Amino acid sequence: QPIACYRDVVSGVGQDSGMPPVDGSKPPTDGTMGSDSPTPPTDAPPPPKDTSTGPTYSNSITVYVEPGDDADALYTDMMAATKSIHMSMYLLSDSRFIDVLTSKHKAGLDVKVILNKVFPSGTASAQTNASSYSQLMSAGVPVTWAPPAYTSPSGYSHEKCVILDGVTAWIMTMNLDYSAPTANREYLAKDTGSGDVAEAEAIFEADYSNLSYSPSGILVVAPNNAKAMIVALINTATKTIDVEDEEFSEQYDVAPAIAAAAKKSVATRLILSDASATSAQTTSVALVKAAGTKVVVTSSPYIHAKAIIVDGTAMYVGSENLTGGSLDYNRELGIITSLASEIAKVQTAINT
């Protein structure tokens, strides 16, 4: 049956208003919790299950943890680009990165940008991106709004990816705003795997030209294969599952998978932001807690991360929140890796 009326709640955002925090207070958000999509009717069915396979591993990555280097590694990499910069960004406001885009365009590089246009109601992010869009346009930088398929209420272009010279893809939880790298828990995966970069580039080019795209690689791509790959990763657990996410409201597949693992004596832990919970999140959290999951809510740093570590040997990081809206309707991008050195970095942050 058609289920166009169904929308889960998802914001996938956090303190991303484009303005730095004032007087040490918690930075403002670019959206209220659960406002990325309309609340579904109480009798709304879940979306059809994604039957694609997973997980598979991206093992040519380096992970950067924020707060840490104030996104300097990404900035340095962008400054070093010699051929092209292709960027898909939910929220862009940091002048450092806008300046790189304009200067590299003036230097003759192939610079193209996709920005999300529509944001949750009652936020300033739409105006923020409109300003950045205008700055780029004035400088002659090719910039476009995300395809209509990822425009509320259908969803959002919540991806955060920067592709450099066709050989490196930065796949991130982090927006390019002022406060994200200094006040948020964020994970940035610098991916140099040729197949991964080629797929990220294919997604970018399709979205830039408003064309459809069916992923065929190993990246975690919403709304195509993300839910299936994440659930498949969870289902491999035999010892531990650590989840860190701004939001946790996907109550039909993700939360039940974690609860099922916990009932099988898999030690499960869930870290959430302190943003106000939606009813769907309350239901999902109650489900996993009842199964034995330890749940922690924290405020410092603000949890804008999206990460899952299974058995200490496999890890997902990316822009996807564990919500129905994020997994089933948004444009999102993530990776799954088995690199012990990079998993250890995120595991340390989660343990902290």
Side-chain angles (χ1 to χ4, degrees):
Q1 295 295 319
I3 55 158
C5 63
Y6 175 83
R7 296 290 185 273
D8 195 3
V9 287
V10 51
S11 73
V13 294
Q15 55 193 59
D16 294 335
S17 66
M19 295 297 294
V22 179
D23 297 330
S25 61
K26 181 180 176 181
T29 64
D30 69 358
T32 55
M33 185 69 150
S35 59
D36 268 12
S37 301
T39 304
T42 55
D43 60 348
K49 291 182 182 295
D50 184 339
T51 58
S52 58
T53 59
T56 48
Y57 301 110
S58 299
N59 283 336
S60 298
I61 70 166
T62 302
V63 172
Y64 295 83
V65 178
E66 306 292 355
D69 72 341
D70 194 20
D72 283 347
L74 171 61
Y75 176 79
T76 300
D77 235 20
M78 289 177 63
M79 285 293 292
T82 59
K83 297 179 181 178
S84 62
I85 300 177
H86 293 166
M87 175 186 292
S88 294
M89 195 56 53
Y90 180 71
L91 180 60
L92 173 65
S93 62
D94 190 331
S95 59
R96 289 186 303 165
F97 295 103
I98 295 173
D99 289 346
V100 173
L101 294 170
T102 56
S103 66
K104 290 296 183 178
H105 169 72
K106 291 177 181 177
L109 275 67
D110 171 22
V111 179
K112 292 189 289 190
V113 179
I114 301 171
L115 292 178
N116 185 63
K117 184 176 184 179
V118 180
F119 288 81
S121 60
T123 72
S125 297
Q127 290 77 18
T128 299
N129 266 11
S131 175
S132 299
Y133 184 99
S134 295
Q135 291 181 61
L136 294 172
M137 284 285 288
S138 296
V141 177
V143 56
T144 187
W145 295 117
Y150 307 115
T151 301
S152 180
S154 300
Y156 297 89
S157 183
H158 192 245
E159 180 182 353
K160 306 97 161 55
C161 182
V162 182
I163 306 166
L164 303 175
D165 293 339
V167 297
T168 302
W170 285 77
I171 298 171
M172 309 182 293
T173 72
M174 187 185 75
N175 290 297
L176 296 185
D177 73 311
Y178 287 103
S179 62
T182 59
N184 289 5
R185 174 68 73 220
E186 307 274 12
Y187 300 122
L188 290 63
K190 178 181 176 179
D191 192 336
T192 57
S194 59
D196 296 349
V197 177
E199 180 169 27
E201 185 69 62
I203 294 168
F204 175 88
E205 293 293 352
D207 288 351
Y208 189 85
S209 301
N210 191 21
L211 300 174
S212 61
Y213 176 77
S214 298
S216 57
I218 62 176
L219 297 181
V220 181
V221 187
N224 306 88
N225 61 27
K227 183 189 288 184
M229 292 183 75
I230 286 172
V231 170
L233 174 65
I234 292 168
N235 288 342
T236 65
T238 60
K239 298 177 182 178
T240 61
I241 300 174
D242 284 337
V243 178
E244 185 173 33
D245 213 301
E246 184 182 26
E247 301 177 53
F248 182 77
S249 62
E250 206 296 305
Q251 57 190 310
Y252 299 106
D253 295 288
V254 176
I258 293 173
K263 290 177 180 178
K264 295 177 182 177
S265 299
V266 174
T268 57
R269 302 188 298 180
L270 171 62
I271 303 170
L272 294 170
S273 76
D274 64 342
S276 299
T278 63
S279 59
Q281 177 157 307
T282 299
T283 298
S284 298
V285 171
L287 177 65
V288 298
K289 286 183 71 174
T293 299
K294 180 179 180 180
V295 180
V296 171
V297 175
T298 188
S299 60
S300 182
Y302 182 83
I303 304 300
H304 190 250
K306 304 91 168 64
I308 304 170
I309 299 178
V310 170
D311 293 341
T313 60
M315 174 178 72
Y316 154 79
V317 295
S319 67
E320 290 98 340
N321 282 294
L322 298 181
T323 69
S326 182
L327 297 173
D328 293 315
Y329 298 100
N330 288 359
R331 166 61 81 219
E332 310 268 11
L333 191 64
I335 58 97
I336 296 175
T337 187
S338 60
L339 278 178
S341 60
E342 308 315 298
I343 293 172
K345 297 174 184 177
V346 178
Q347 188 71 72
T348 296
I350 287 176
N351 290 345
T352 301

